[in-house]
Amino acid sequence: MAKRVITFGEIMLRLAPEGYYRFVQADQYGATYGGGEANVAVSLANYGLDAAFVTKLPKHEIGQAGVNSLRKFGVDTSYITRGGDRVGIYFLEKGASQRPSKVIYDRAGSAIATATTEDFDWDAIFDGADWFHFTGITPALGDNVTAICLEACKAAQARNITVSCDLNYRNKLWSKEKAGEVMGELCKYIDVCIANEEDASDVFGIKAANTDVTKGEVNHEGYKDVAKQLADRFGFSKVAITLRESISANDNNWSAMLYDGTDYYFSKKYKMHIVDRVGGGDSFGGGLIYACLEDMKSQDIIEFAVAASCLKHSVEGDFNMVSVDEVSKLAGGDASGRVQR
């Protein structure tokens, strides 16, 4: 029987100009859906797990289109609460060469941002669940959503369900001080922490020595120290840190590290030419959760997660539409990109 994973957060309508057009050039926008925890749920469903996404969406057709976008990939949407007035929107302008990508949010007053603890029955939602995942974006939507996250974490812990969180700090949603305060409380219930180069510094003031993400310099020893500090402070059983070296908007080096409380494991490094980097971190989280639930060894866990995320950077849209077989082949060393016939 497939392992069951519950994810909770906001799914948004993504509006993006065609190709590399700038916002001021565009006269039409492509419409797709995505959001941190929804992206993870799609990854896990594609890998054959029983994945459910929990949120609140309006009853109207735009809300239904968001639900349908998840159903298409086999995600369980039965615990999505219907209500509220609007779906959050984000606009994406793809960067190229030395011009960075830009995201503009239009999410104030979205259905999930106005949700209350009464909207979700965690006893029913967690029935038969093995894992619960959310990101730091979700509690940043408001104190009411923080309260929902806290209730969910407590309910998951009471049932011995593994809890994972991607810190995912967003300065457009809240201050570093507020993030540190709220996430510090939620981290008491988290077993597996996912962070990138900047999250640990922004949220908890834990910095990697001799590293400058804007110069693409990564110091492995510094990240070992960051992971250990996080684990020691909050009691995490695992800490995964993604290591992105940005050469340009189109070209990044991509790798990651896993600390399992005993030792440190670094993945191989991929030189990526990027098609779409939004959702890259979420695809890493999805790969990590799958590998953990498959009881892979620590080195294999981090290799699978990084390979999954590497492939996502070649896929348009938020969702990582790849299979376990494709990820395993890349993790196993076949990075040739040769035509498969």
Side-chain angles (χ1 to χ4, degrees), residues 80-118:
I80 292 179
T81 297
R82 305 305 289 269
D85 298 320
R86 69 181 304 246
V87 176
I89 299 170
Y90 83 90
F91 298 86
L92 171 69
E93 176 187 283
K94 269 197 207 173
S97 192
Q98 278 66 45
R99 175 172 61 83
S101 295
K102 288 191 174 180
V103 172
I104 295 174
Y105 291 107
D106 178 17
R107 69 198 305 178
S110 65
I112 187 63
T114 62
T116 67
T117 53
E118 286 72 38

Side-chain angles (χ1 to χ4, degrees), residues 148-220:
I148 299 168
C149 287
L150 187 58
E151 191 173 86
C153 285
K154 288 179 177 178
Q157 188 185 68
R159 290 162 179 76
N160 292 317
I161 296 169
T162 302
V163 179
S164 62
C165 179
D166 187 333
L167 292 181
N168 254 345
Y169 174 69
R170 294 289 186 269
N171 61 11
K172 291 181 179 178
L173 291 177
W174 57 359
S175 68
K176 293 177 182 179
E177 293 72 25
K178 178 77 170 179
E181 175 190 333
V182 170
M183 295 309 298
E185 179 63 26
L186 290 170
C187 279
K188 296 174 184 177
Y189 304 92
I190 292 165
D191 303 292
V192 178
C193 177
I194 302 167
N196 68 17
E197 310 97 325
E198 298 161 279
D199 292 332
S201 171
D202 288 336
V203 179
F204 297 123
I206 297 174
K207 294 182 170 67
N210 302 318
T211 292
D212 185 341
V213 295
T214 61
K215 292 181 179 177
E217 297 171 357
V218 169
N219 172 29
H220 282 190

Side-chain angles (χ1 to χ4, degrees), residues 308-322:
S309 188
C310 176
L311 288 172
K312 162 63 193 81
H313 287 76
S314 72
V315 179
E316 293 275 9
D318 272 54
F319 298 156
N320 193 19
M321 291 171 269
V322 299

